[in-house]
Amino acid sequence: MSMRQEVNPSSPPAIRVSVEKSYAEKAEYSFSAPFKIGRDVECEVQLSHSKVSRFHAEVRLSQDKWSLFDLQSTNGIFVDGRRVEQFLLADNTKVELGRGGPVLSFSIQELPQRPKAQGGDLSMEHYLKHYFEERKDQDIGAHTMMIRTVYDHLRKKQKRKFYFAIGVFAFLLLCVGTYATYKHFEVNKQKALAEDIFYAIKSLELEFADLLRVARQNNDAQSLEYVRRYQAKRSELEKKYDEFLKGLDVYGKNKSEEERLILSVARTFGECEIAMPAPFTQEILNYIAKWKSTPRSAEPWIRQKRVAISAKSLKSCKRMAYRLSLCTLACRRAASI
């Protein structure tokens, strides 16, 4: 692939400064960026003349146009014998720094015209083909080659960022999945421990039931101490079990008062709340709803009107009805087993 010199039209036009007589280190300077003129060593064009101030003038570039500005010098700047504060420079412009001072000549390099595309095609497709479509027999310039190199570099960099983002996302997804699996195992572990504690309490009750009855009948100090130790151990196990229930949110806010009551009664009858099957609570609620639809459910209300019981007694009556329903269901389940 051959290479040819290509001028970049986007670069600013260069400006040349020629100094008449030997007032400067060089007779000619070339700039493509703003510069200052004066006696100070910081000036890009340093002149040794009594008419020149330390910072006499500055040449600035604006919209591809060079302009000369007086930096409040003592003797001023003159163009064609007229003092000016600022002046738009053209090619072959001569400027005098103070009357009788050094004379500077400015020449400006004109920007080359961008060659028109064949057939006047300036569409997006044309530029895409020109700068980014590689052909083995294509004769391209240095500017086009530079654009293609930068584009390839940016594309590779973007790919690296994209792959890095995918990697981070996959890692986070793996972490979330691992954490969720860990929490799932932890919850199952807590449920198993809570269930073991509950049935340990029930086994303790069955194992020491006869001994406790005998100890209460004897009513001696040793027997009473035995009962006290048993009750302390049982209370400790129940406290740990209740902590597990709280951590697992068994009696959470998402459950109604009736559902909490059903769980509490089931625990009273020796059922572990955690080990109960999922449809158990709904089955009880359905059974209670059926019971309420029978004439038997109206009897407590009739008695309430006759005896004029209080609202508190009515609530207790409702709870008793729930407990009776649970007892009936428990008996039916035991009979089926």
Side-chain angles (χ1 to χ4, degrees):
M1 185 181 297
S2 63
M3 299 287 293
R4 60 184 174 81
Q5 186 67 25
E6 186 175 279
V7 179
N8 184 7
S10 61
S11 60
I15 185 171
R16 295 191 178 189
V17 183
S18 299
V19 183
E20 295 184 0
K21 299 182 180 180
S22 58
Y23 297 122
E25 295 180 355
K26 296 190 300 182
E28 188 173 281
Y29 299 84
S30 179
F31 299 98
S32 59
F35 59 94
K36 293 181 180 179
I37 304 170
R39 289 186 293 106
D40 197 272
V41 293
E42 294 184 2
C43 294
E44 286 78 6
V45 179
Q46 186 181 5
L47 302 174
S48 300
H49 196 279
S50 59
K51 296 283 186 177
V52 179
S53 300
R54 291 181 61 249
F55 294 96
H56 199 104
E58 183 177 11
V59 178
R60 303 170 190 168
L61 180 66
S62 176
Q63 297 181 351
D64 294 335
K65 301 290 184 181
W66 291 100
S67 298
L68 179 68
F69 294 85
D70 189 351
L71 298 181
Q72 298 181 352
S73 61
T74 302
N75 298 307
I77 55 178
F78 294 85
V79 178
D80 296 333
R82 180 171 56 89
R83 182 167 183 170
V84 295
E85 295 296 326
Q86 67 180 55
F87 186 77
L88 182 63
L89 296 173
D91 196 26
N92 297 322
T93 301
K94 291 188 177 183
V95 177
E96 186 179 16
L97 303 183
R99 290 195 179 274
V103 177
L104 306 181
S105 299
F106 296 90
S107 59
I108 300 174
Q109 178 183 355
E110 295 293 336
L111 286 175
Q113 297 293 326
R114 180 184 293 273
K116 294 184 178 180
Q118 293 181 359
D121 185 9
L122 298 178
S123 63
M124 181 68 71
E125 183 179 359
H126 164 74
Y127 287 108
L128 288 174
K129 288 182 178 180
H130 178 74
Y131 287 107
F132 305 112
E133 183 179 308
E134 294 187 3
R135 291 177 297 193
K136 294 182 179 180
D137 58 344
Q138 186 179 16
D139 184 19
I140 61 174
H143 179 64
T144 302
M145 177 59 70
M146 181 61 68
I147 290 179
R148 290 185 179 180
T149 303
V150 172
Y151 173 74
D152 289 339
H153 174 73
L154 292 176
R155 184 173 57 181
K156 291 179 181 178
K157 187 176 180 181
Q158 197 70 23
K159 282 184 178 180
R160 287 195 295 267
K161 289 183 178 180
F162 179 71
Y163 292 145
F164 177 76
I166 291 179
V168 171
F169 177 76
F171 176 74
L172 292 177
L173 190 62
L174 179 62
C175 291
V176 171
T178 304
Y179 179 75
T181 305
Y182 169 76
K183 292 297 292 182
H184 176 72
F185 282 119
E186 282 293 314
V187 170
N188 289 339
K189 184 179 178 181
Q190 288 185 357
K191 286 183 178 180
L193 289 174
E195 189 175 348
D196 290 342
I197 292 174
F198 178 83
Y199 289 115
I201 296 172
K202 295 305 174 183
S203 299
L204 197 65
E205 291 176 355
L206 294 175
E207 185 177 351
F208 292 96
D210 294 336
L211 296 175
L212 290 174
R213 185 175 64 256
V214 173
R216 290 191 180 95
Q217 290 175 356
N218 293 337
N219 200 23
D220 59 287
Q222 185 177 359
S223 299
L224 293 176
E225 177 64 19
Y226 178 77
V227 173
R228 189 191 65 79
R229 289 181 181 178
Y230 164 77
Q231 290 176 343
K233 183 64 175 178
R234 186 176 182 276
S235 299
E236 182 181 354
L237 289 174
E238 287 184 343
K239 183 178 179 181
K240 289 183 179 179
Y241 179 71
D242 290 336
E243 288 178 356
F244 275 108
L245 292 183
K246 185 177 180 181
L248 296 171
D249 199 24
V250 175
Y251 291 87
K253 294 181 179 180
N254 58 335
K255 288 184 172 57
S256 64
E257 183 179 356
E258 289 80 4
E259 290 174 331
R260 295 193 192 101
L261 182 59
I262 291 173
L263 292 175
S264 177
V265 174
R267 177 176 175 178
T268 304
F269 284 110
E271 292 287 345
C272 179
E273 300 99 312
I274 300 173
M276 284 191 298
F280 175 79
T281 305
Q282 188 60 43
E283 183 180 352
I284 298 297
L285 291 174
N286 293 338
Y287 178 79
I288 294 174
K290 291 180 181 179
W291 177 81
K292 285 183 177 180
S293 63
T294 62
R296 293 174 56 191
S297 63
E299 293 178 3
W301 298 91
I302 296 172
R303 288 197 300 271
Q304 186 269 343
K305 290 182 179 179
R306 291 176 180 176
V307 185
I309 60 176
S310 63
K312 184 176 180 181
S313 300
L314 180 60
K315 186 175 182 180
S316 300
C317 185
K318 287 183 178 180
R319 290 192 174 182
M320 183 60 68
Y322 277 114
R323 289 187 172 91
L324 289 173
S325 302
L326 288 172
C327 288
T328 305
L329 181 61
C331 291
R332 288 185 177 182
R333 291 177 61 186
S336 63
I337 295 173

